[in-house]
Amino acid sequence: LIATKIREFGDELTGKDHEIFHERMIAEDPMTLRELGERYEISRERVRQLEDRIRKRLRLFLVEAIPDIADVEVRQSITESS
């Protein structure tokens, strides 16, 4: 159920957020901050900030999509996957 919701969340993203989510956060062989920064001509720090923002949005999405899930569990599953 969680994996399905994570895919749904990823499908709703666009632009840099979509790329960062798919190419860094859920990829089997994730791109580095540097690689993504070079692709978009932004700093590694900016990529990291975007990644953090996406992670927070994902947490909120999952809590809303799966009301029974404990916030602690969501936080753990997201931080463990990154």
Side-chain angles (χ1 to χ4, degrees), residues 22-32 35:
H22 287 281
E23 298 292 342
R24 177 153 172 87
M25 298 176 72
I26 64 170
E28 292 239 352
D29 184 24
M31 293 179 74
T32 65
E35 290 169 329

Side-chain angles (χ1 to χ4, degrees), residues 11-74:
D11 291 342
E12 293 178 6
L13 298 173
T14 60
K16 290 178 194 154
D17 289 351
H18 183 269
E19 289 290 320
I20 291 169
F21 183 74
H22 287 281
E23 298 292 342
R24 177 153 172 87
M25 298 176 72
I26 64 170
E28 292 239 352
D29 184 24
M31 293 179 74
T32 65
L33 294 173
R34 182 179 187 176
E35 290 169 329
L36 284 165
E38 288 174 356
R39 177 182 286 180
Y40 290 107
E41 298 180 357
I42 58 177
S43 69
R44 292 179 304 225
E45 176 61 17
R46 182 64 183 139
V47 175
R48 189 200 59 74
Q49 291 169 354
L50 292 170
E51 183 180 43
D52 188 51
R53 183 183 74 183
I54 295 165
R55 190 173 287 116
K56 288 175 184 175
R57 288 172 54 197
L58 174 58
R59 184 178 303 121
L60 291 173
F61 177 86
L62 290 175
V63 168
E64 289 177 11
I66 310 170
D68 295 337
I69 196 165
D71 190 37
V72 173
E73 291 174 2
V74 171

Side-chain angles (χ1 to χ4, degrees), residues 25 55 59 72-82:
M25 298 176 72
R55 190 173 287 116
R59 184 178 303 121
V72 173
E73 291 174 2
V74 171
R75 206 173 292 125
Q76 287 174 343
S77 68
I78 293 168
T79 56
E80 288 172 0
S81 68
S82 57

